[in-house]
Structure formats: C-alpha cells, structure tokens
Amino acid sequence: MSVTHAPETADVLLRQDPELAEILLGELDRQSTTLQLIAAENFCSPAVLAALGSPLANKYAEGYPGARHHGGCEIVDVAERTAVERAKALFGAEHANVQPHSGSSAVLAAYAALLRPGDTVLALGLPYGGHLTHGSPANFSGRWFDFVGYGVDAETGLIDHEQVRTLARTHRPKAIVCGSIAYPRHIDHAFFREVADEVGAYLIADAAHPIGLVAGGAAPSPVPYADVVCATTHKVLRGPRGGMILCGADLAERVDRAVFPFTQGGAQMHTIAAKAVAFGEAATPAFAAYAHQVVANARVLAAGLAAQGFVVTTGGTDTHLVTADPAPLGVDGRTARGRLAAAGIVLDCCALPHADLRGLRLGTAAVTTQGMGEAEMARIAVLLAGVLKGEAESQKTREEVRELVGGFPPYPG
Ligand SMILES: *Cc1c(COP(=O)(O)O)cnc(C)c1O
C-alpha cells in the first residue's frame, strides 16, 4: 500500500523516516479497515492527493494573481485563476475566493468583510446544530459579535421559521447566518433572503456541509440568495481540506481584502491547486451521480435506523446527514459512539433538538465514495443496532465491518 498513491514518495518516506511512514500507513490502514461515517469526512481522489503532495507546497504567494508580494508567482497565479474560474462556473457565482485555509477561516473572513465587532448576528443556536463560528463563547465569533440564536421545533426538528422572523424583527441583526453542522434537511434560502431584506441584514450562507451536494445538483444552491456563501472543500465536495467564499461582484473586493491581508497571510498554493482539481472532478456527470447516490444512501440509512428503533431527527433526511437518538436502544449518544468505535464504526455525537443527552450524527459521503450503495446502508443500520442492543459482540462486528469495507477499498491497490 502506498501513502500518497505515488509509490516512490512512500518509499522515500519509508527509507528516510520509517517512524513517520509507519504512522501514515497506520492511518491509511485505519481508514481502509473501519467504517467512516463521520458526516464531515470523505476520501479525496488520488489526483487531489497528488496536487497536495506537489512542490507547489514550497511557494510563497501573498496577495492575489497578478498582484503578489512575492516573485516567481507566474505559475501558481495560473493555478489560482484556474481554481477561481472553475469554482465560479461550478456554482454560478460572480466571484470566488479560494484562499481560506478552512471553513472557519472562510466564516471569519465573511464576518470581517460585512461586520464590525459588537454587531448583532442571528444564527442557528449551537444546541440546534450551529457551528462554533456561529456564536460559541469559546470562539472569536461569540467574543467579538453579539449572537442571537434561533432554534428548531422540538417535535419536528425543523427550523422554526416563525421564530427566525420574530427574532430578526426584534433584534435587527446586521447579518443572518443560515447553515448548520447537523441539519439534515434542505435550507429554505428564499425564506432567509426575505427576512434579511425585511430587516436590512446581510444573508450569509454557511454551506460547509451541503456545498458538494449543490455542486452535484442534489441540493438547492444558496448562491442566488445569499450575499456571501462560505464553504469547505473537504466535506461532500471531496476536495482538499480547506475553505472558499462565493459572492457577488459588488462584495468581491471586500471579501478578498477580508481574506488577505485581514485574516490570512500567504495562500497555500498546493491546496489551491488541489481545490482546482476537485472543482474539475465535481463538474463531471460522474460527480452528479455520486451526489445523488450520497442522498439516496442517507435516506436508506435513516430508514434502517428508524426501523431498528432509533429516533431519527425530522424523520429522515434530504442530504448526506442523518442525526438519530439511540435512547430507545437503551444507550445515550456518547456511550454509543464509544461502543461503535470499538466495533470499527466511526461516527460523531451531536446535540439533539428533543433530548438532553447527545445523539449520533452520521454521513454517507465517504462510504458512497467507496462505492457502497443502498444494500450496504441497510446492512450498516443493522450492524449499528446490533452493537448498541448488545446482540452482537463488538469483536464479531469488528470482523464483519472489516469484511464489508474490504470489498470497497477507498484507495484500491
Ligand atoms: C465544517 C464546518 C465549518 C468549519 O470548517 P473547518 O474547515 O473545520 O474550519 C464551518 N461551518 C459549518 C457549518 C461547518 O459544517
């Protein structure tokens, strides 16, 4: 097995630094022999890995193509222009900034472009699936801005639109954020646009999770509605770890200056090249088929979990994401995550709208990249329930998981 799909690279590392080579190969083995159900993860392609492992990693490039603070940028300028043009075409956006180092950096830059410290921002509350950058007191967002949180209906798990409207009218926020780390349904961007217009707020869509589904035509796009769209490139979109921002031409300069020089230094050109590769992949019919399969798989997984007794939030999903309460199986989310990990099933805990204890958050982006389909999803639901009901020993399930994933290697060869 090779670490980067460039066997010669792996050999170099093995010879020079066996200690580190061992660690990298150990992680490849972990990813290849356990079940990856973390909703934010995926397997990027060998071509994306090749760009990440390229000498573009050596290049310093502060600024933007044609206006850099360093010499020798003529080649990487082409890489960044290519990434920008591909992102604009893929999402139908007037402007794209592909430099944010992460999803959080993209959100920080969006706030920096539109807000001043102390401004009021309305976003989904953290207990309902808001991200840390949506007002957590432990994050810059909660310290520098005055966040007001909207919620979801405790019964249905759906965003409480009436509450959003009421809070917007009461607090007159400078910006409204829509987007979540755990919301399994499509977001009604037209609704948020209408409320933002009514109270004179900017609309920021934090589409870190669904942006890959948007690329594949399997989820509605926030681009026509939001003033600024923040996203990651490594979740369903299946690119390198990183962020990006999409916006209209009117905000392009403010957004660019908010990324560099306000919140970041030199752009990571190897990552930007890898983003370009991923945008190229995401523009293909094969990726559209992938995105639709991701959703079909999540629906089967949600139905399978419900049939096993889990309480599935909102009763199902429109996306790659499923959140479920395992309480009826006699276990809380945190305990369940530990037991499942011991059985080789890797997933996250999350807050649940109707429960005090945490539930489980699962996603189908990675397993679908591996080639798994609806039959495998149904089997996974049974495996999960078996472990949590105590019907199956974790060691036995561990073997079944190994056999299942063995048929779908993420990096064949
Ligand atoms: C994943 C995510 C982020 C942050 O992305 P990082 O790359 O981990 O910083 C921000 N917002 C939302 C809604 C996310 O899901």
Side-chain angles (χ1 to χ4, degrees):
M1 274 190 284
S2 69
V3 177
T4 63
H5 259 259
E8 55 294 359
T9 316
D11 287 347
V12 167
L13 195 59
L14 267 170
R15 254 181 280 117
Q16 179 185 316
D17 193 337
E19 187 184 351
L20 254 296
E22 201 65 35
I23 295 167
L24 268 61
L25 288 168
E27 174 60 10
L28 177 61
D29 183 63
R30 189 196 68 80
Q31 291 184 17
S32 311
T33 57
T34 56
L35 200 47
Q36 311 308 320
L37 294 173
I38 290 181
E41 290 185 356
N42 210 331
F43 294 105
C44 62
S45 72
V48 168
L49 289 179
L52 279 176
S54 73
L56 271 71
N58 301 325
K59 189 69 199 91
Y60 232 115
E62 281 182 348
Y64 290 99
R68 301 283 191 187
H69 295 257
H70 300 95
C73 288
E74 55 279 0
I75 310 281
V76 294
D77 276 4
V78 183
E80 183 163 346
R81 284 200 180 101
T82 304
V84 166
E85 288 312 315
R86 287 183 182 183
K88 283 162 62 178
L90 186 58
F91 297 106
E94 288 174 4
H95 182 70
N97 187 305
V98 296
Q99 291 195 6
H101 299 326
S102 69
S104 300
S105 313
V107 177
L108 170 60
Y111 294 167
L114 303 177
L115 307 173
R116 300 207 149 258
D119 278 347
T120 300
V121 183
L122 180 60
L124 184 62
L126 267 60
Y128 309 104
H131 185 255
L132 285 167
T133 54
H134 302 172
S136 163
N139 182 265
F140 75 89
S141 56
R143 177 136 7 136
W144 293 343
F145 303 102
D146 191 4
F147 270 83
V148 177
Y150 55 89
V152 299
D153 183 279
E155 285 303 310
T156 63
L158 300 173
I159 288 172
D160 186 342
H161 285 167
E162 270 327 294
Q163 189 196 21
V164 173
R165 198 187 294 278
T166 306
L167 289 173
R169 284 176 180 163
T170 307
H171 296 277
R172 313 295 294 187
K174 186 86 178 291
I176 299 176
V177 179
C178 60
S180 166
I181 60 169
Y183 195 63
R185 296 293 180 176
H186 293 322
I187 283 173
D188 186 346
H189 301 115
F191 164 79
F192 278 97
R193 178 76 263 167
E194 183 194 309
V195 175
D197 283 344
E198 186 193 320
V199 301
Y202 289 113
L203 179 60
I204 299 172
D206 186 357
H209 267 277
I211 197 72
L213 297 177
V214 173
S221 174
V223 171
Y225 299 98
D227 296 291
V228 173
V229 176
C230 302
T232 60
T233 48
H234 52 274
K235 296 181 182 175
V236 188
L237 190 53
R238 212 161 67 181
R241 190 153 295 280
M244 72 172 160
I245 300 178
L246 306 169
C247 65
D250 53 331
L251 291 174
E253 204 187 315
R254 276 162 76 179
V255 162
D256 285 353
R257 293 165 73 84
V259 175
F260 175 88
F262 194 76
T263 58
Q264 290 189 177
Q268 301 195 346
M269 297 316 306
H270 58 308
T271 309
I272 288 172
K275 287 173 186 176
V277 173
F279 297 147
E281 292 175 356
T284 61
F287 189 88
Y290 162 73
H292 285 88
Q293 189 61 51
V294 165
V295 177
N297 280 353
R299 291 212 162 110
V300 172
L301 186 59
L305 292 173
Q308 291 292 333
F310 291 80
V311 180
V312 174
T313 313
T314 78
T317 181
D318 296 330
T319 65
H320 62 299
L321 247 162
V322 179
T323 69
D325 187 356
L329 285 69
V331 61
D332 68 275
R334 211 176 280 281
T335 311
R337 181 180 65 177
R339 276 205 225 156
L340 291 166
I345 300 172
V346 185
L347 41 63
D348 286 324
C349 289
C350 70
L352 290 173
H354 70 279
D356 298 334
L357 290 170
R358 292 165 81 75
L360 297 175
R361 183 185 72 151
L362 306 80
T364 54
V367 290
T368 307
T369 294
Q370 285 177 275
M372 293 191 205
E374 283 135 272
E376 286 74 30
M377 298 307 116
R379 187 169 165 206
I380 288 170
V382 173
L383 283 173
L384 250 93
V387 172
L388 299 184
K389 289 176 181 169
E391 288 165 0
E393 268 182 51
S394 65
Q395 207 41 48
K396 189 172 152 284
T397 307
R398 181 76 193 82
E399 283 317 308
E400 272 189 69
V401 165
R402 190 183 288 276
E403 180 235 301
L404 171 66
V405 298
F408 302 91
Y411 296 110

